[in-house]
Amino acid sequence: MPTSLAHRKSSATIWHWLISIWRLANPGHDRPQPSPRAIVRSFVHLVELHIRDHWSISAYAEALGVTADRLNTATRRATGRTPMGLIHERLMTEAPILLDNSGLQVSEVAEVLGFKDAAYFSRFFKRIAGVSPRAHRAGAALKRNDVNTNYAAWP
């Protein structure tokens, strides 16, 4: 029996050492995780900074120090949308402004927004807006003309 007791003590000591080494090897688990609101706030800020760089969701997550799954969960809970949905929404806030208020060609608007291919930008815009960038621009021009010819707008 004494051998059994000594064996248990040495086994417990080895386990204690292994756990200590494992804890030292994983220092990241000791850091408190940011709250979901803080994650989303930081994510939105990073999107504003890097919208034209077209980062992947995993790149945003890495910059925030969280996993892509945690970023996705936090964003869905806080906004009801996916991280990619927020990025697309931000691009679609910027695109019509550039199309309507600048003399830039569609390919130049695509370049300003960070799209390497104007055709891809056109497909992206049409998928979300329902019309092509050219059709959107033409519709915006018609609306401007309708507003200018309205007699009620005259002094």
Side-chain angles (χ1 to χ4, degrees):
M1 280 308 222
T3 310
S4 175
L5 183 59
H7 179 67
R8 279 192 231 151
K9 283 186 177 183
S10 65
S11 180
T13 304
I14 290 171
W15 276 109
H16 176 71
W17 282 102
L18 287 174
I19 290 171
S20 298
I21 291 169
W22 179 76
R23 286 181 180 161
L24 289 172
N26 293 319
H29 292 289
D30 294 340
R31 287 183 290 155
Q33 289 289 322
S35 71
R37 285 185 187 194
I39 291 171
V40 173
R41 190 177 324 113
S42 298
F43 172 66
V44 169
H45 179 70
L46 280 176
V47 168
E48 289 297 323
L49 292 175
H50 300 284
I51 190 72
R52 290 170 176 86
D53 300 331
H54 291 260
W55 281 14
S56 67
I57 299 303
S58 59
Y60 282 108
E62 185 177 331
L64 293 169
V66 298
T67 65
D69 287 339
R70 177 136 163 90
L71 175 60
N72 187 27
T73 301
T75 305
R76 280 181 184 261
R77 284 185 181 164
T79 66
R81 292 177 297 229
T82 64
M84 191 57 75
L86 286 177
I87 293 169
H88 288 174
E89 182 180 302
R90 182 64 185 98
L91 283 168
M92 286 303 293
T93 300
E94 200 71 26
I97 293 170
L98 289 170
L99 288 168
D100 297 345
N101 301 322
S102 73
L104 297 174
Q105 295 179 6
V106 173
S107 61
E108 293 170 324
V109 170
E111 187 177 330
V112 166
L113 292 175
F115 289 88
K116 291 177 177 47
D117 183 17
Y120 178 70
F121 167 70
S122 292
R123 287 191 305 272
F124 167 81
F125 189 93
K126 185 171 185 175
R127 181 171 43 92
I128 294 179
V131 295
S132 70
R134 291 190 200 289
H136 172 83
R137 182 174 268 169
L142 286 175
K143 286 180 186 176
R144 278 194 302 271
N145 288 339
D146 286 347
V147 169
N148 294 338
T149 59
N150 185 351
Y151 292 111
W154 287 14

